[in-house]
Amino acid sequence: MNQGVEWAAHCAALLAALPPDVAVPAATLAEFHGLPAPYLAKAMQQLAAAGIVTAVPGRRGGYRLARSADQITLLDIVDAVDGDDAAFRCTEIRRQGPSAVPRRYYSPRCGIAAAMWAAEQAFRDSLATVTVADIAAGVQRDSPPAALEKASRWLATALTR
Amino acid sequence: MNQGVEWAAHCAALLAALPPDVAVPAATLAEFHGLPAPYLAKAMQQLAAAGIVTAVPGRRGGYRLARSADQITLLDIVDAVDGDDAAFRCTEIRRQGPSAVPRRYYSPRCGIAAAMWAAEQAFRDSLATVTVADIAAGVQRDSPPAALEKASRWLATALTR
């Protein structure tokens, strides 16, 4: 899995914790999370392309969530950054080799592929139950109070400089 | 996901359909499935290393299942061929950047990692419900009768030549 998934999820959670009209530049998101700015910029562009965040132009510009944090799921983020292609690719082995018969005689789906894709669907269903709002609430709950305080202070300065 | 997963699952299903004392050489498994022999050999070695198949030496040697097909799951095969490392790697971003405080103040698990790993567990739980016996029964049920017949005849010849 692309490392950008982790970065994008953290950035989305941070944006969810801020007032909805506050936009945060990608460089500030990178600095806040201690991440390499060019790579994070790419992950944020992927979120924007998927309609998860909006790029706000101008002096106080940057990224903000494109919709309410409870309307964005972890699955949306994974699909945006990692793509939504199936991990298992069926190459129809059953129709190869000396036992092959014309393809019209086979069931539409190989049972092995069906089982693999059912497991992938279980993965996706699980991710779809978690929203960015849930994640942001978890960060708020689980973070050391001193870290939250440092974060607030640092952001207040960074976003007004 | 490693393409060997698909190959290994098909080979395990074929071995499950044969009498338990019949061993099939990797080269025969490759020919039967129309797969490149050197690559398939690697996947079979991975199944052997994981204790899913046993390499039987000698003139009528080859691979056979190491235990009953209803005691081998699709998860066993995926773990053997693709490894059982988590797809999501948590780099503890929450402890980076200007808001960081000493690590002892953080909850043991970041909520984002917990949600990603819960989804991976759902994937694994789904694969663990499917046995090689189930897959073999599915192949038997879904294959064109003419293909099953050609397979039997071809294998009978290949395994006695």
Side-chain angles (χ1 to χ4, degrees):
Chain A
M1 183 171 289
N2 186 324
Q3 204 179 9
V5 168
E6 183 189 16
W7 304 354
H10 278 275
C11 290
L14 177 63
L15 295 178
L18 299 175
D21 58 328
V22 172
V24 185
T28 305
L29 289 168
E31 200 179 344
F32 179 81
H33 292 104
L35 296 173
Y39 294 103
L40 180 62
K42 191 188 164 209
M44 295 309 297
Q45 284 157 11
Q46 290 171 313
L47 292 187
I52 293 170
V53 299
T54 304
V56 179
R59 175 152 152 59
R60 289 270 177 265
Y63 288 107
R64 59 173 179 71
L65 295 184
R67 55 184 188 269
S68 166
D70 61 4
Q71 299 299 311
I72 303 168
T73 70
L74 205 42
L75 179 61
D76 295 329
I77 292 175
V78 170
D79 282 350
V81 178
D82 217 30
D84 61 358
D85 291 342
F88 180 82
R89 294 200 316 113
C90 172
T91 61
E92 285 289 351
I93 287 179
R94 62 184 180 155
R95 299 192 315 222
Q96 293 177 191
S99 73
V101 296
R103 76 168 48 189
R104 67 180 177 279
Y105 294 113
Y106 289 90
S107 62
R109 264 192 176 192
C110 173
I112 291 169
M116 294 299 303
W117 291 331
E120 291 190 41
Q121 190 58 51
F123 174 80
R124 296 178 62 80
D125 289 347
S126 178
L127 290 180
T129 65
V130 182
T131 68
V132 169
D134 297 331
I135 295 171
V139 170
Q140 189 75 28
R141 192 182 54 233
D142 296 341
S143 292
L148 291 175
E149 210 178 297
K150 284 175 82 173
S152 292
R153 254 179 300 154
W154 187 89
L155 284 165
T157 306
L159 295 175
T160 52
R161 75 191 163 198
Chain B
M1 184 171 291
N2 186 324
Q3 205 178 10
V5 168
E6 183 189 17
W7 303 354
H10 277 275
C11 290
L14 177 63
L15 295 178
L18 299 175
D21 58 327
V22 172
V24 185
T28 306
L29 288 168
E31 201 180 343
F32 180 81
H33 292 105
L35 297 173
Y39 294 102
L40 180 62
K42 192 190 163 208
M44 295 308 297
Q45 285 156 12
Q46 289 172 313
L47 291 187
I52 293 170
V53 299
T54 303
V56 179
R59 175 152 153 61
R60 288 271 178 263
Y63 288 107
R64 59 173 179 73
L65 295 184
R67 55 183 189 271
S68 166
D70 60 4
Q71 299 298 314
I72 303 169
T73 70
L74 204 44
L75 179 61
D76 295 329
I77 292 176
V78 170
D79 281 350
V81 178
D82 217 30
D84 62 357
D85 290 343
F88 180 81
R89 293 199 316 113
C90 173
T91 61
E92 285 289 352
I93 286 179
R94 61 185 181 155
R95 298 192 315 222
Q96 293 177 191
S99 73
V101 295
R103 76 168 49 188
R104 67 180 178 281
Y105 294 114
Y106 291 90
S107 61
R109 266 191 172 191
C110 173
I112 292 169
M116 294 300 302
W117 291 332
E120 291 190 40
Q121 190 58 51
F123 174 79
R124 297 177 61 80
D125 289 347
S126 178
L127 290 180
T129 65
V130 182
T131 69
V132 169
D134 297 331
I135 295 171
V139 170
Q140 190 74 27
R141 192 182 55 233
D142 295 341
S143 291
L148 291 176
E149 210 178 296
K150 283 175 83 173
S152 293
R153 254 179 300 155
W154 188 87
L155 283 165
T157 307
L159 295 174
T160 51
R161 73 191 163 199

